[in-house]
Amino acid sequence: MNLAEFFHMGGYAFYVWTAYALAVIVLALNIVVPLRRKSALLERLARSVKQSNKRP
Amino acid sequence: MWLFFHKLASPKHFYRIAGKLIPWLGGLTLILFLAGLYLGLIVAPPDYQQGESYRIMFVHVPSAWMSLFIYVFMAALSAIGLIWNIKLADVMASSSAALGAWFTFLALATGSLWGKPMWGAWWVWDARLTSELILLFLYLGYIALVSAIEDKRTAARAGGVLILVGVVNIPIIHYSVEWWNTLHQGPTVTRLDKPSIHLSMLLPLLIMALAFQLYYFTVVLMRARVEVLERERRSGWVQELFPDGSLERADVMHQQHSSPVDLP
């Protein structure tokens, strides 16, 4: 099987690759969202601890 | 054993143990995905009826299975949260909802992309598709309900009741292809006698299903961990994660070397 044939998917290229692309986007998005939430939360917490340490 | 679960259910230990598990689960998920994609897209032969289009199955079927699994798992967690008042169960349930909704969306969207070339229609109102659409609305309803209630405890109770009532939909989805004369094909893997699918297609399907399963556990732990930290932000152990307000040790109290930027 050559590469062009592989991407052609026997004429179903649009359906097959759209389905896989959607899956990849959704799975990647769900990894990124909690990571960003986490780094935002960690920064916020660190800042609030710093502030409460300043005024004992 | 009981003691272990008790310890695990305490937010501090959950935060630590989940932090240790996530990189391993994530790595294993990635390996399974690569193996499943290789076997499914390259090794498996084309179907004698559907040609290459059947390869959509390797993302469609695991998504659909996960949409059901997560719902049942959430129902069990909600029951535990309602009966024994365990906060961690509420956290895990609410962290699962978005993932469940996304998997349901994926099952519907990839199913639509498979239906168009095979049935000639993007959508038909048959029992399987309609009941799966109702599942999506149940997830979205849960998310809306839980986020609308300020008090976390009340939100978890209300959401838990909604999820438990909606459980009736699960057997309807599963048996819809047998009870009604649907356009959707019948089960090929979970048949009791012998799966009517060749091993070269069954193997990548099962590997992908396992990859989706582990992906769910990886991401739900990531989400639950952030949620626990957020809820417990005023308690001593969280404050201790930030000695003199630096991020240095916050995420890595259990790891030898890691930078705060490169969080697992």
Side-chain angles (χ1 to χ4, degrees), chain B residues 175 178 187-196:
Chain B
Y175 291 109
E178 291 171 21
T188 43
V189 178
T190 53
R191 282 179 20 170
L192 285 176
D193 43 352
K194 195 166 169 271
S196 57

Side-chain angles (χ1 to χ4, degrees), chain B residues 3-172:
Chain B
L3 196 73
F4 171 77
F5 279 117
H6 243 270
K7 223 178 145 186
L8 184 66
S10 93
K12 185 182 170 182
H13 283 95
F14 171 78
Y15 184 81
R16 197 174 55 86
I17 293 167
K20 273 185 190 161
L21 272 174
I22 287 165
W24 291 99
L25 280 172
L28 201 56
T29 307
L30 190 65
I31 294 169
L32 285 169
F33 264 125
L34 293 175
L37 286 174
Y38 173 73
L39 289 175
L41 288 174
I42 296 168
V43 176
D47 185 68
Y48 79 104
Q49 275 183 330
Q50 307 195 356
E52 305 282 357
S53 77
Y54 89 95
R55 294 186 199 279
I56 293 173
M57 171 180 81
F58 299 126
V59 288
H60 172 71
V61 171
S63 303
W65 282 348
M66 286 315 294
S67 72
L68 299 181
F69 170 82
I70 294 174
Y71 196 92
V72 173
F73 194 54
M74 273 176 76
L77 286 167
S78 299
I80 291 170
L82 285 170
I83 297 166
W84 287 292
N85 211 359
I86 294 174
K87 270 192 219 159
L88 187 63
D90 296 342
V91 170
M92 287 289 284
S94 66
S95 304
S96 297
L99 279 164
W102 275 116
F103 279 123
T104 313
F105 164 77
L106 259 189
L108 288 167
T110 56
S112 190
L113 283 160
W114 195 2
K116 181 63 183 168
M118 290 302 112
W119 304 338
W122 294 104
W123 182 262
V124 284
W125 290 102
D126 94 352
R128 174 55 75 79
L129 280 70
T130 309
S131 54
E132 183 77 9
L133 186 65
I134 291 170
L135 184 68
L136 181 63
F137 292 148
L138 280 171
Y139 277 124
L140 297 179
Y142 174 90
I143 293 168
L145 183 64
V146 166
S147 62
I149 301 173
E150 194 73 36
D151 178 55
K152 299 269 187 194
R153 193 69 210 115
T154 321
R157 275 171 190 277
V161 170
L162 172 71
I163 286 292
L164 286 169
V165 170
V167 163
V168 289
N169 192 34
I170 297 296
I172 295 180

Side-chain angles (χ1 to χ4, degrees), chain A residues 6 9-10 12 15 19-20 22-23 26-27 29-31 35 37-38 41-42 44-46 49-50 53, chain B residues 33 41 50 52-53 55 58 102 113 118 215 219 225-227 229-230 233 239 242 244-245 247 251:
Chain A
F6 175 68
M9 275 289 153
Y12 296 112
Y15 303 104
Y20 276 84
L22 265 178
V26 167
L27 295 185
L29 191 76
N30 278 290
I31 299 262
L35 282 181
R37 253 192 81 192
K38 179 182 195 167
L41 177 66
L42 286 182
R44 211 170 74 219
L45 288 177
V49 169
K50 217 181 247 173
N53 283 354
Chain B
F33 264 125
L41 288 174
Q50 307 195 356
E52 305 282 357
S53 77
R55 294 186 199 279
F58 299 126
W102 275 116
L113 283 160
M118 290 302 112
Y215 170 90
V219 176
R225 217 164 159 253
V226 180
E227 183 74 26
L229 205 57
E230 169 110 56
R233 62 182 178 277
Q239 303 284 323
F242 303 91
D244 45 88
L247 271 175
D251 189 58

Side-chain angles (χ1 to χ4, degrees), chain B residues 177-211:
Chain B
V177 287
E178 291 171 21
W179 291 345
W180 293 285
N181 198 358
T182 61
L183 200 51
H184 194 285
Q185 68 188 68
T188 43
V189 178
T190 53
R191 282 179 20 170
L192 285 176
D193 43 352
K194 195 166 169 271
S196 57
I197 174 173
H198 191 264
L199 189 66
S200 62
M201 298 174 183
L202 180 62
L203 193 63
L205 180 60
L206 293 181
I207 291 175
M208 286 297 273
L210 195 58

